[in-house]
Structures are given as C-alpha cells and as structure tokens.
Amino acid sequence: MPNPEPAGLPHDWIVPDWPVPPRVRALCTTRGGGVSNAPYASLNLGDHVGDDPAAVQENRRRFAQAIGAHPVFLRQVHGWQVAALALQDARTADGAVADGCVSAASSVACTILVADCLPVLLTDRSARAVAAAHAGWRGLAGAGGTGVLEATVGALRDALARDGGGRGADIELLAWLGPCIGPERFEVGAEVKAAFEAHDPAATACFRPGRTSRWLADLPGLARQRLGALGVTSVYGNDGSAGWCTVGNPARFHSYRRDQASEGGSGRMAACIWLA
C-alpha cells in the first residue's frame, strides 16, 4: 500500500505504492503546485535551469512545507558520488556534488531532481535508513563496474551495518523507480548500448533498434537489471509503461528532451524519501 501521504499535496503528485514501514515517507512531484511561468510552469524545483530565482525559492518552500521535512538538493553531475546527510549538520546544506545520497536522520529528505533521468528511492525493511539516486544513463552505466546504483546501494548497506543491523550484504532492501523518459522515446547511440553491455551482456535485452545506427533504450529496465545484480529484487514503481514517460506526458511531467529546444527551457521535478 502507499506510504502515509502528507496532507495538502497537489492531486497528481506521486506517492509510491510499496510495502515499506509507516516511518518511511516518499513522493515524487509533478508540474503541478508551483508559481513558475512557462516553460517552467508551474512547479519547477531546479535553481540552475534559467527560471526566476524568486519563483524557485517559493516552489521549494511549498515543497518543503508539503512534505514536512528538510529536503537536501544536490548538485547532480551524472556521476556516482554519494553524499551522507545528517540532521543539523553542514552536510544538510544544498549543493553537495553528488548523484546519490543516504540518511539515517529523521526529517532529512534525500532529494533527487529529474526531468527525464530516472529517480531511484531505496530503504530497508526495518526503516533504519533511506537513500536516493539520480540515474541518467551515464551515472547508471558508470565505469569499471561501478555506477550510481552500485555506489548508493553500497553506501546504504554500510549505513545500515553501522547502525547494528548485521552484515550489509544480508540486509533486504526495497527500491522504487520514479518517472523518466520511456523506452519508446529514449533514443541513444551505439556507444550507450556498448557501455551497458560491457558491464553485463544481458543489457542487450533493454535495447531495440531505432533509427539508422540508433537504439531505443529501456532506462527503468536497465536499472532493474543493475539492482537485481546487487541483490535488490523488491523493485516497485516505473515498469516502462507509457504513463511513467516524462516525454509522453507533457501536462504532468517536465522533460528536458521535449522542452529544452522547443520551449527554451525545462523545469525539474523532485523525488524524495525520508524517515518521519
């Protein structure tokens, strides 16, 4: 069932439907509920996309008020650095360069900004810590066998092991995948396909031919493969169907690929997870 829903959310914000303890809270915003003007209308939470800073500040205030927690905004660079977030600590300040974050502190929301990339939220069955990852194809593919999911899952397991939960590898984790560019829209070059196949030949199943010398990639499918290889088999949310596609649902989702060139800009949504 969905985790408990904060009061007063815009009607189309997404509350994950996954079997986590009530202490774990999570959601993903949509375009609705903000004050930004086009092309960022209306809830843009990105402060680096060209939107009016005053509008972004108000949008972030509304977002924090709605979730009743302190969201920490990273400076995402399509890498696999993971930031540890702690209550009343300098590390709770916005702007840390990272594409993943982990926290065991109450009311500190691990927050990922997206507008086509895949947000991945993580926790354990005992609700002792939470984590979030920004999985664009570069961060997901990684290098040398390590990408953003390997790094974030590893950091979460380390945090849980330090908390007295036993060996990190034995801890059962759950994952939720948010909206992203869908497999009918995510056209990539052969180098992207090769990067995933170099890590795991089974990744071939997540690509099908597009236009000449191009491929259509299933980003949530690739994330599920990587999570499965890490022993994370309880995965919920985005299954690659049309309703999850940021490009194909312009009234609900921001999309960089759809809007940046045609509209002159694109807003950002937030997926977040925290311990109440």
Side-chain angles (χ1 to χ4, degrees):
M1 62 184 297
N3 53 260
E5 182 174 328
L9 295 184
H11 74 279
D12 68 342
W13 285 15
I14 303 169
V15 178
D17 185 358
W18 58 337
V20 294
R23 188 186 180 207
V24 176
R25 306 293 176 87
L27 62 79
C28 182
T29 66
T30 62
R31 300 187 73 138
V35 300
S36 292
N37 295 318
Y40 310 102
S42 67
L43 187 73
N44 163 49
L45 296 169
D47 64 355
H48 61 293
V49 297
D51 194 4
D52 178 1
V56 177
Q57 183 177 17
E58 173 60 16
N59 290 340
R60 289 188 172 188
R61 186 197 68 79
R62 293 185 180 195
F63 171 59
Q65 182 179 51
I67 69 175
H70 173 65
V72 179
F73 295 94
L74 308 174
R75 183 157 71 88
Q76 298 164 192
V77 294
H78 297 275
W80 42 93
Q81 183 72 26
V82 180
L85 310 179
L87 188 63
Q88 295 179 339
D89 187 295
R91 290 174 292 180
T92 61
D94 296 337
V97 177
D99 284 87
C101 50
V102 61
S103 180
S106 298
S107 300
V108 176
C110 294
T111 305
I112 297 296
L113 294 178
V114 290
D116 285 334
C117 292
L118 175 70
V120 181
L121 306 181
L122 297 145
T123 190
D124 71 302
R125 292 279 184 188
S126 300
R128 289 176 293 118
V130 295
H134 166 240
W137 80 260
R138 290 179 181 85
L140 187 58
T146 298
V148 69
L149 291 185
E150 287 80 10
T152 305
V153 168
L156 178 56
R157 284 184 166 143
D158 287 347
L160 291 166
R162 288 194 299 271
D163 190 46
R167 293 189 303 141
D170 295 335
I171 298 168
E172 184 182 2
L173 302 182
L174 301 92
W176 182 82
L177 312 182
C180 71
I181 186 169
E184 300 297 322
R185 301 293 190 115
F186 191 25
E187 193 171 56
V188 299
E191 74 282 0
V192 176
K193 181 172 180 282
F196 284 98
E197 290 173 333
H199 174 79
D200 182 357
T204 300
C206 293
F207 294 86
R208 60 187 181 83
R211 294 178 295 172
T212 303
S213 301
R214 306 285 288 177
W215 296 87
L216 291 170
D218 182 351
L219 191 58
L222 289 163
R224 287 172 183 268
Q225 281 189 344
R226 300 293 280 252
L227 289 167
L230 293 166
V232 183
T233 57
S234 297
V235 183
Y236 303 86
N238 190 340
D239 58 2
S241 56
W244 292 96
C245 179
T246 48
V247 178
N249 293 277
R252 192 177 196 195
F253 299 134
H254 293 296
S255 167
Y256 180 86
R257 282 206 175 195
R258 184 191 63 228
D259 297 337
Q260 186 64 33
S262 63
E263 303 295 331
S266 170
R268 298 294 187 271
M269 303 170 295
C272 61
I273 185 168
W274 70 101
L275 296 174

